[in-house]
Amino acid sequence: MDIMSIETTGASWQTAQQDNLGCSGVQASNAMAQTDLGRMNNYRSIISRVGQREGVDPAIIAGIISRESRAGNTIAHTGGWGDNHNGFGLMQVDKNWHTPSGSWDSEEHITQATRILVDMIGQMQTTWAGLSKEKQLKGALAYYNMGLPLSYEQVDAKTTGRDYSNDVVARAQWYKRQGY
């Protein structure tokens, strides 16, 4: 699957306000990903190894890390905890559904979170068997954030900012252009 061929609307206005951006959409997602690039580069080799081992494009992992923790910026001072102490690590593994493993910025953590995503991709391939791999991936990204989406047409209806899969895809596309 080519991450660059996935259609995306990018970040909502609500999400873009994290950085007080005067725009939304792909432009906002790109700006936030670029802001996170310096911190993201600290994890580049780990992301690459995990992506290769787990069969997930490293750019997708980077997109999730950017969206979930701004490459660690929002959780570095909390011991890795975010989302009212429910999410842990760079990829914010939800302690209500999973037992977080590893330190918040470790390869073990990124591996665990990526495997959770891989499981969700598999579930979407079964649930949305008639849809393209690209649409199944967007469904899996929404699932990673907020639970199983009802339909592709409502993929982000219940996600944070109502844009999670679209924002992660746009950020991932930006990271792909940076060599991730």
Side-chain angles (χ1 to χ4, degrees):
M1 162 184 2
D2 176 17
I3 186 71
M4 301 306 285
S5 70
I6 300 176
E7 292 182 20
T8 181
T9 57
S12 66
W13 183 261
Q14 176 186 344
T15 298
Q17 293 319 295
Q18 292 175 5
D19 288 14
N20 297 313
L21 300 173
C23 62
S24 60
V26 172
Q27 182 181 2
S29 296
N30 291 346
M32 290 182 284
Q34 184 172 9
T35 296
D36 298 338
L37 182 61
R39 290 182 304 276
M40 191 70 69
N41 283 338
N42 294 327
Y43 308 108
R44 189 177 190 135
S45 61
I46 294 172
I47 292 167
S48 179
R49 279 193 306 274
V50 172
Q52 184 174 19
R53 190 173 54 240
E54 302 301 327
V56 174
D57 190 322
I60 291 287
I61 298 170
I64 293 171
I65 290 171
S66 176
R67 170 68 185 232
E68 289 288 349
S69 68
R70 302 305 303 271
N73 193 51
T74 62
I75 58 168
H77 63 285
T78 66
W81 291 97
D83 189 24
N84 297 311
H85 207 77
N86 289 306
F88 180 75
L90 290 170
M91 295 176 74
Q92 290 292 282
V93 170
D94 190 324
K95 73 175 186 181
N96 297 304
W97 299 98
H98 308 279
T99 302
S101 63
S103 60
W104 67 270
D105 60 351
S106 67
E107 185 165 341
E108 183 180 351
H109 160 72
I110 294 172
T111 298
Q112 178 190 26
T114 302
R115 286 179 178 164
I116 292 167
L117 178 64
V118 167
D119 288 346
M120 292 174 172
I121 291 169
Q123 290 178 41
M124 293 311 301
Q125 289 171 342
T126 300
T127 304
W128 291 356
L131 296 183
S132 69
K133 298 282 186 206
E134 292 79 9
K135 289 180 178 180
Q136 292 168 354
L137 175 62
K138 283 180 74 175
L141 290 168
Y143 193 178
Y144 185 89
N145 175 251
M146 203 57 97
L148 189 63
L150 298 175
S151 68
Y152 182 75
E153 293 71 30
Q154 296 181 336
V155 70
D156 278 330
K158 294 182 181 179
T159 65
T160 307
R162 301 174 73 85
D163 67 346
Y164 188 88
S165 74
N166 280 288
D167 184 31
V168 168
V169 166
R171 292 182 199 219
Q173 290 171 343
W174 190 88
Y175 284 115
K176 189 73 168 178
R177 288 190 296 274
Q178 310 315 307
Y180 277 79

